[in-house]
Amino acid sequence: MDETGPTGPTGIEMESTGPTGPTGIESVEATGPTGPTDIMTLFPNAQTGTVEAPTIVTMEELMASHAVIVEKESVDRTSLNALVNPTRDQYRPQLFQWAAAGFPGIYVIQSFSVTPPDLCADGVRRDVNAYINYLTGTDMGAVVANIQSLVTGIVVSFSFEGNSVRIHVSKA
């Protein structure tokens, strides 16, 4: 027998899940791309439970998140201490390597890598340069001037590469 649609004879009987029979169907099984699906299971009810609105945030989540950022900033601040407080022991080995290499220009003698958090502990979004300034309390110009004052016959400069600030030297 040919199918003529839902209003005519199809040769296929609809399945009823309720007690009222074929004229009062309570739930109809639809056939989807993966097989039969009970349409009514797509909506919450007493069997499936109610859908509650998600919590935006809890104080515990905020405190934990803030504590992690504060700790990260502390670790980064410690790693940058050598940048703002240069020592003889810290720079001499790299300067002798530079000499052994024949004094090439813009030679990298130090590199400090930090990754700013999405938001700093004070709620401000910063790029790497601003993050370093925030952690050290100074800018890279002042850092370079400080290092420059500790060497003679050498020009000190800096650059950024990704999340790293690099200290360079060149022959004066």
Side-chain angles (χ1 to χ4, degrees):
M1 189 179 285
D2 291 335
E3 286 190 27
T4 61
T7 58
T10 62
I12 301 171
E13 291 186 26
M14 285 189 121
E15 181 181 327
S16 170
T17 59
T20 58
T23 58
I25 299 173
E26 289 181 6
S27 176
V28 176
E29 285 193 17
T31 302
T34 60
T37 303
D38 185 357
I39 294 172
M40 295 309 291
T41 61
L42 300 176
F43 301 99
N45 60 35
Q47 292 176 340
T48 62
T50 57
V51 177
E52 294 183 25
T55 303
I56 293 173
V57 72
T58 66
M59 183 55 82
E60 290 79 21
E61 289 173 310
L62 289 174
M63 294 298 286
S65 173
H66 186 261
V68 168
I69 292 170
V70 168
E71 178 62 26
K72 179 189 182 348
E73 288 180 5
S74 177
V75 168
D76 289 346
R77 192 173 285 111
T78 300
S79 74
L80 293 173
N81 187 46
L83 181 64
V84 294
N85 297 307
T87 65
R88 178 181 173 99
D89 293 336
Q90 173 189 349
Y91 281 89
R92 281 181 64 87
Q94 289 85 349
L95 290 169
F96 281 107
Q97 287 176 357
W98 172 53
F103 302 104
I106 313 173
Y107 185 83
V108 176
I109 58 168
Q110 292 286 326
S111 182
F112 300 88
S113 294
V114 292
T115 302
D118 289 334
L119 288 176
C120 294
D122 64 356
V124 176
R125 189 176 314 274
R126 292 180 170 88
D127 64 10
V128 173
N129 185 30
Y131 183 59
I132 290 171
N133 294 350
Y134 164 70
L135 294 177
T136 63
T138 189
D139 63 36
M140 287 305 301
V143 167
V144 167
N146 183 36
I147 298 168
Q148 183 71 61
S149 72
L150 301 173
V151 295
T152 57
I154 300 170
V155 176
V156 181
S157 59
F158 73 95
S159 67
F160 286 96
E161 182 178 2
N163 286 343
S164 297
V165 60
R166 303 178 309 170
I167 304 298
H168 305 267
V169 291
S170 297
K171 225 172 160 183

